[in-house]
Amino acid sequence: MTRPHAAPAGPDAGTTGRPAAPGDGATPAVTPPADLRHHLTARLDGAARAWLDQALDEATAHPGAHGPISVWELRLAEAGRRCGPEHADAARVLILHAATADAEALTRVYRQGTADERRAVLHALPHLVRGPEALLLVEDALRTNDTRLVAAALGPYGARHLDAHAWRHAVLKCLFTGVPVDLVADLAGRARGDAELARMLGDYAAERTAAGRTVLEDLHRVLALTEAAPGADGPDTPHGKES
């Protein structure tokens, strides 16, 4: 059984509405997998819980790639139907974690997957990839017009590995597209004392004012963060370097 190959996400992707909060009440990118599983299974009915248990057992028993497509990759495609769309992100993240998917496997799933599966990959990155090997996926998501992908790309993994230039433009894209800045991981830490971001925000605010348009409250919030004194960037914070 094969799955159709989707083209990599790009600027022609369809724009979605305001990113929704996770339906199960937990944020898959920041909730430890053990806690996420406990939280999710408490909200699934018996049939969905049994399916999830089986899917996780299969992923644990057969991690990595087996043949043209792994059984756990097929389960990713089923998650929305089996667990409900409001719980699908969490279920997919748990399956990816159980399969110990590495950057290569995550890239394959992302490139071949639907927008929902791509979003789950982005949520799974901080649990599965320590280094910048998967940064290309974050950068790809940020080029789309799908606001849910943009929001997922700016989770903990993106916050850690995006360089200063790319991160600033991602924050501006949130303001352009209506992604709430509350969804940007480590916003306060990265914006603190960032004079260049302050300049960019000021220019954008001036453009909106000149056009007779309202300056968004989120812009004022981020601008206020840039006015705080910068913190000390240690050796474990690569985004502290200007690119």
Side-chain angles (χ1 to χ4, degrees):
M1 180 177 181
T2 59
R3 296 167 61 194
H5 288 232
D12 293 332
T15 303
T16 68
R18 181 183 176 93
D24 54 28
T27 305
V30 300
T31 305
D35 294 343
L36 185 63
R37 182 173 184 178
H38 177 77
H39 194 91
L40 177 58
T41 55
R43 286 157 176 76
L44 296 177
D45 63 26
R49 191 160 52 246
W51 177 88
L52 179 64
D53 289 343
Q54 180 180 347
L56 296 179
D57 287 345
E58 290 170 342
T60 301
H62 302 288
H66 293 271
I69 188 167
S70 302
V71 65
W72 56 264
E73 294 181 57
L74 298 175
R75 301 298 173 250
L76 294 175
E78 296 176 14
R81 176 166 56 88
R82 297 287 192 167
C83 297
E86 69 274 27
H87 303 306
D89 277 356
R92 291 185 175 114
V93 169
L94 289 173
I95 292 169
L96 290 167
H97 186 265
T100 59
D102 59 12
E104 181 180 356
L106 291 167
T107 298
R108 182 179 68 250
V109 171
Y110 182 93
R111 297 297 183 191
Q112 297 179 2
T114 64
D116 288 343
E117 291 163 29
R118 292 178 179 188
R119 188 175 65 253
V121 168
L122 295 168
H123 286 317
L125 290 179
H127 301 302
L128 293 167
V129 185
R130 291 184 60 83
E133 305 94 291
L135 187 56
L136 287 175
L137 305 184
V138 171
E139 294 169 343
D140 183 85
L142 289 173
R143 289 192 292 270
T144 74
N145 295 321
D146 186 326
T147 55
R148 295 197 299 169
L149 283 180
V150 172
L154 289 171
Y157 187 84
R160 178 169 177 76
H161 293 293
L162 283 169
D163 64 40
H165 176 79
W167 185 82
R168 291 176 188 130
H169 282 276
V171 171
L172 280 179
K173 181 158 189 172
C174 288
L175 297 173
F176 297 153
T177 60
V179 174
V181 296
D182 285 342
L183 300 179
V184 179
D186 194 25
L187 176 65
R190 292 210 58 168
R192 186 179 299 116
D194 190 334
E196 177 60 15
L197 178 60
R199 182 195 66 76
M200 294 167 68
L201 293 170
D203 289 348
Y204 179 47
E207 290 173 7
R208 290 186 66 88
T209 299
R213 303 179 67 186
T214 302
V215 178
L216 304 175
E217 179 59 31
D218 270 1
L219 188 150
H220 290 299
R221 290 179 57 200
V222 181
L223 189 58
L225 291 173
T226 67
E227 296 169 358
D233 279 314
D236 201 32
T237 52
H239 57 253
K241 297 180 180 180
E242 183 66 58
S243 63

